[in-house]
Amino acid sequence: MSEAGTIFDKIISKEIPAEIVYEDDYVLGFKDINPQAPIHVLFIPKIRIATHNDIDVENLDYVGKIHLAVNNYAKQIGEDENGYRIVMNCNGNGQQTVFHIHMHFLAGRQLNWPPG
Ligand code: 5GP
């Protein structure tokens, strides 16, 4: 895994702006710049974990915190009962483009399955 940071480090440090909708000590949630649904938020850990392959026992707590953040946010915006999709793309076949793990939270319309 490359040691270089990504644009998400600069969003965490507030060096570049983002529409932040959720924040706690472990997790940041902000609107995706290129939304694929009426509600499209990225939930990221406040430490850099490059890909899903890099999740391990040392950083696993951050992943659990991301799931809790998603649950809290879905309830807060009233989409928990309607439903939503969470997605984490990994590497080339998964079409991951930013190498700092992020959970896409998609909601606000009927989502198609399979995704293609
Ligand atoms: P991936 O393809 O890696 O799963 O998703 C990366 C996501 O990050 C894309 O949906 C893309 O639109 C979003 N993204 C990339 N750069 C920025 C940025 O600077 N700000 C925001 N808010 N989203 C970004």
Side-chain angles (χ1 to χ4, degrees):
M1 126 183 171
S2 154
E3 290 307 315
T6 75
I7 193 143
F8 289 177
D9 290 312
K10 293 195 167 72
I11 290 177
I12 292 167
S13 64
K14 317 276 165 68
E15 282 171 71
I16 67 163
E19 277 192 72
I20 294 170
V21 298
Y22 180 90
E23 183 162 18
D24 65 30
D25 289 345
Y26 296 84
V27 177
L28 192 69
F30 52 94
K31 291 187 183 175
D32 196 293
I33 207 167
N34 182 23
Q36 302 301 312
I39 302 161
H40 187 173
V41 171
L42 302 174
F43 287 88
I44 69 173
K46 285 187 169 176
I47 60 165
R48 181 159 178 258
I49 303 168
T51 78
H52 194 275
N53 294 327
D54 299 303
I55 295 168
D56 59 25
V57 289
E58 302 295 321
N59 59 32
L60 186 59
D61 202 28
Y62 281 85
V63 180
K65 300 284 190 192
I66 286 173
H67 281 280
L68 290 179
V70 164
N71 283 355
N72 288 336
Y73 181 66
K75 270 197 202 85
Q76 183 196 317
I77 63 168
E79 293 292 340
D80 53 327
E81 295 298 330
N82 291 335
Y84 52 84
R85 182 166 298 152
I86 51 176
V87 175
M88 199 182 286
N89 296 323
C90 182
N91 281 337
N93 281 354
Q95 296 208 7
Q96 182 178 4
T97 59
V98 179
F99 288 85
H100 181 134
I101 60 166
H102 44 283
M103 190 164 281
H104 294 262
F105 174 89
L106 299 150
R109 68 168 168 83
Q110 181 64 61
L111 298 160
N112 299 322
W113 191 264

